[in-house]
Amino acid sequence: MDFPLIRQLKHLGQHPHAPFYAPGHKLGRGMGAPWREWLGEEVGRADFPELPEVGNLFGTTGAIAKTQHLAAQTFGAQETFFLVNGSTGGILAAILATCGEGERLLLPRNVHQSALHGLILSGAMPVFIQPEYDPGRDVAYGVTPEAVEGALGEYSDIKAVLVVYPTYQGIGGDLEAIANITHHYGVPLLVDEAHGAHFAFHPDLPPSALSLGADLTVQSTHKVLGALSQASMVHVQGPRLDRARLNHALRLVQSTSPNSLLLASLESATYQMATEGEALLTETLALAAQAEAAIATLPSLNRVDWPTVPRPGYQWRDRTRLTVFLQHLALTGFEADEILQQLGVIPELPLEKSLTFILTFGNTPQDIEALISGLEYLSATFPPQDPSPPLILPSPLPPPRLTPREAFFRPKIALPIAQTIGRICGESICCYPPGIPLLMPGEEITATALAALEQVLHLGGEIIGLQDANFETLLVVNC
Ligand SMILES: Cc1ncc(COP(=O)(O)O)c(C=O)c1O
């Protein structure tokens, strides 16, 4: 294992020269006082442009090409591209590389917003399938192979399938079966593996998307491994994906001046995984197990746990991702989040009745102690309660009338909610629970969708995404 980019950047930083290239801070010397007083010049001495020795994200020579090749070997891909705009950029490019104007992309309803943005950029028509939803725990799982097969059978012109593996809570569906089905139909499988960059490096973690047959997978290296924010990777394998088009799509959504610190952090994370990944993740899994065992002793928090056997959409669970269920505590996840923050513990994702924590090898035993003592405080301070019945289940999908791109470019008006039935929705409307969008731009606003919206509001749920914070009007396409 080698780290050619970091070696090259160090060499450039130490080698005296007169820099007449961008960036303008010139090896940190021109950085403003607030920065210099905070971090000094050292960071600037590592920030280089695409000099010939460094290369660029799409070249075949230079240190970047070498380090991307090493990353492909380490993560089990045929080819790897570094991303400097997060997994967001990778998902945009994956959609642009596979689906054009009016072509169909099969994807779960609860995809990250970057997938909707990819649809807007490409002009593709989504075919949504509902993920499996667990109302007792109020979490969405993966989509099932049966749902994927049903949609591929119904629409013969689907160009690609995109799935989320794992979910934010670390749950993965039966990706291998989904890969077999999509390949049977001759369609590439794209995976949003933003939360699974560590999977390839420990046998007690879920298998990586590549090992289960994904043609392309996008990983937020910065979320779970030791890379800087925004630093992500897209990995590809097999013959189904047009690599030249992917290459072009990646150029389309990314800067021509990728930050060398971000790229170096990807190289460092790769090196770390190749040399000590399994040992580090063994420690992380032990910390997570310690936290889970402690939570199991807390009276109001130990009453809901994950299923112990697979169920539809739930095949794998990442045990480094900790979710605490609050169904039996008189406290919402948002309230619990605020209290924990005051105690110096900052969760990743609060939802109505759960809190999710990301654990990595960057966490220390002291972090786990602080987490456990914060949860002990919640459990001891707030009264127990009987869980309320599930608020709402995902409703039937509204009929699509325009592509998200068409809806994006059409003029829109805000109408009182009651007057919007039959109109085309101009915004994305997501209710919590169940955290699955009720309406997407381009879809017809149906009486059923509005009834579901009313019910969520009536029962005290949350609506995310509405332009009108008072929930009185909806944005509709003005046509
Ligand atoms: C499931 C999922 N996909 C994609 C993304 C986008 O990742 P990034 O922040 O690396 O752009 C996120 C971000 O939270 C995510 O949760």
Side-chain angles (χ1 to χ4, degrees):
M1 190 61 200
D2 190 12
F3 39 95
L5 180 60
I6 291 177
R7 276 196 293 104
Q8 188 59 60
L9 295 173
K10 270 167 98 171
H11 172 76
L12 285 166
Q14 288 160 1
H15 176 69
H17 61 283
F20 291 106
Y21 49 73
H25 61 68
K26 312 283 177 177
L27 305 161
R29 298 180 309 220
M31 292 278 201
W35 181 283
R36 288 158 61 94
E37 282 161 19
W38 177 40
L39 292 175
E41 287 181 9
E42 200 58 36
V43 178
R45 261 199 294 278
D47 184 18
F48 287 97
E50 296 172 313
L51 299 172
E53 314 84 299
V54 175
N56 68 62
L57 288 173
F58 306 101
T60 50
T61 57
I64 296 177
K66 279 190 204 143
T67 198
Q68 290 189 137
H69 182 66
L70 289 170
Q73 286 178 338
T74 306
F75 284 82
Q78 277 174 356
E79 203 171 350
T80 291
F81 298 92
F82 284 2
L83 302 169
V84 288
N85 187 19
S87 289
T88 296
I91 290 167
L92 297 178
I95 295 175
L96 285 165
T98 49
C99 302
E101 187 92 45
E103 293 179 338
R104 291 187 205 275
L105 173 70
L106 179 63
L107 71 174
R109 188 73 174 170
N110 60 335
V111 275
H112 184 255
Q113 53 173 314
S114 55
L116 176 62
H117 298 159
L119 291 166
I120 292 172
L121 289 179
S122 74
M125 178 57 105
V127 176
F128 286 114
I129 43 178
Q130 292 285 21
E132 293 300 306
Y133 177 63
D134 180 340
R137 296 175 180 82
D138 182 29
V139 283
Y141 296 148
V143 292
T144 61
E146 293 76 21
V148 171
E149 182 147 41
L152 284 168
E154 190 177 345
Y155 298 95
S156 58
D157 54 348
I158 287 174
K159 293 288 180 197
V161 173
L162 170 68
V163 297
V164 180
Y165 172 95
T167 63
Y168 224 113
Q169 287 83 10
I171 306 302
D174 189 351
L175 195 67
E176 189 167 29
I178 292 173
N180 289 338
I181 291 164
T182 60
H183 294 164
H184 172 75
Y185 281 84
V187 170
L189 175 64
L190 319 174
V191 180
D192 174 351
E193 203 181 13
H195 294 272
H198 53 317
F199 284 179
F201 303 102
H202 201 286
D204 295 342
L205 291 170
S208 71
L210 286 172
S211 73
L212 296 178
D215 297 279
L216 173 152
T217 185
V218 185
Q219 299 176 336
S220 291
T221 324
H222 66 95
K223 287 193 197 299
V224 282
L225 300 179
L228 290 174
S229 289
Q230 275 181 249
S232 293
M233 295 188 199
V234 58
H235 306 290
V236 285
Q237 65 180 0
R240 288 175 202 85
L241 211 99
D242 180 342
R243 304 249 183 111
R245 184 165 155 189
L246 175 66
N247 197 303
H248 199 170
L250 285 166
R251 289 168 194 257
L252 203 141
V253 296
Q254 295 198 104
S255 168
T256 48
S257 310
N259 185 295
S260 58
L261 287 158
L262 294 184
L263 302 178
S265 80
L266 285 170
E267 176 175 273
S268 173
T270 303
Y271 181 89
Q272 187 179 33
M273 281 301 101
T275 53
E276 49 178 342
E278 186 166 340
L280 288 171
L281 288 162
T282 299
E283 285 169 25
T284 315
L285 283 160
L287 285 182
Q290 184 197 337
E292 282 202 346
I295 293 163
T297 66
L298 301 178
S300 305
L301 298 178
N302 70 352
R303 311 267 292 278
V304 187
D305 201 358
W306 292 109
T308 49
V309 289
R311 48 178 284 176
Y314 180 107
Q315 185 84 16
W316 306 101
R317 179 164 82 87
D318 172 5
R319 290 171 180 276
T320 67
R321 193 57 60 98
L322 207 67
T323 294
V324 175
F325 295 103
L326 305 169
Q327 272 82 349
H328 291 265
L329 201 65
L331 204 61
T332 68
F334 306 105
E335 292 162 341
D337 179 48
E338 275 182 25
I339 297 164
L340 285 178
Q341 295 216 24
Q342 281 162 19
L343 296 173
V345 176
I346 307 185
E348 165 70 17
L349 176 74
L351 290 180
E352 185 65 25
K353 274 302 180 188
S354 65
L355 285 173
T356 297
F357 303 84
I358 296 181
L359 264 72
T360 75
F361 42 79
N363 284 113
T364 61
Q366 291 73 28
D367 293 341
I368 302 300
E369 277 167 29
L371 169 65
I372 294 169
S373 92
L375 294 174
E376 278 170 351
Y377 173 79
L378 294 183
S379 174
T381 312
F382 293 90
Q385 67 167 19
D386 287 335
S388 42
L391 279 183
I392 199 158
L393 294 173
S395 52
L397 295 173
R401 293 280 178 252
L402 297 174
T403 63
R405 179 183 175 87
E406 287 165 334
F408 178 82
F409 284 113
R410 299 266 175 106
K412 299 181 194 70
I413 46 164
L415 286 184
I417 292 185
Q419 293 173 26
T420 58
I421 294 179
R423 304 294 296 256
I424 297 172
C425 192
E427 55 188 333
S428 174
I429 302 168
C430 188
C431 302
Y432 284 90
I436 298 168
L438 202 56
L439 283 160
M440 290 283 209
E443 291 178 342
E444 182 180 320
I445 301 174
T446 58
T448 324
L450 284 195
L453 190 75
E454 292 285 324
Q455 194 190 349
V456 169
L457 283 176
H458 177 69
L459 293 171
E462 255 202 292
I463 312 274
I464 309 280
L466 279 192
Q467 192 143 301
D468 176 2
N470 297 322
F471 309 128
E472 282 161 7
T473 60
L474 289 186
L475 217 51
V476 301
V477 172
N478 191 14
C479 58

